[in-house]
Amino acid sequence: MAFTSLDKPLALLTKKKHWTYYHQYVEICSIWKNIVTHNILINTNVLSINQDIVYIATSSTGWSQELSFQKCSLLKKINQQLLYTSCLLYTSDAA
């Protein structure tokens, strides 16, 4: 039995509409690695994207506070590098 490459079927599968969120997640993870410092990178993790909001896990409340100080700057950098223009990130300060 001859083996066949899975490249073509996988490429077709990942182009389907329901894979859009996966591609956005991978893109955000890649951008995150490029825009943050090494210390931020080792203390954070991109968890998910839901309704155009990126959820970031931090190793401590201190890092969470640090990210909140840099929130606007980080969002600008992410939005400038996004390929998926439909995935614009917004912030809201809920009281």
Side-chain angles (χ1 to χ4, degrees), residues 15-33:
K15 288 181 182 178
K16 295 195 182 258
K17 186 177 181 178
H18 63 274
W19 282 83
T20 301
Y21 296 114
Y22 171 76
H23 289 294
Q24 289 173 344
Y25 174 78
V26 169
E27 181 182 14
I28 294 293
C29 289
S30 176
I31 292 170
W32 186 254
K33 290 176 186 176

Side-chain angles (χ1 to χ4, degrees), residues 28-36 40-41 44 46 67 74:
I28 294 293
C29 289
S30 176
I31 292 170
W32 186 254
K33 290 176 186 176
N34 292 326
I35 66 168
V36 298
I40 292 176
L41 186 60
T44 60
V46 179
L67 288 187
L74 291 170

Side-chain angles (χ1 to χ4, degrees), residues 61-74:
T61 55
W63 281 108
S64 180
Q65 187 173 20
E66 178 65 27
L67 288 187
S68 71
F69 293 144
Q70 296 185 34
K71 183 165 121 177
C72 290
S73 172
L74 291 170

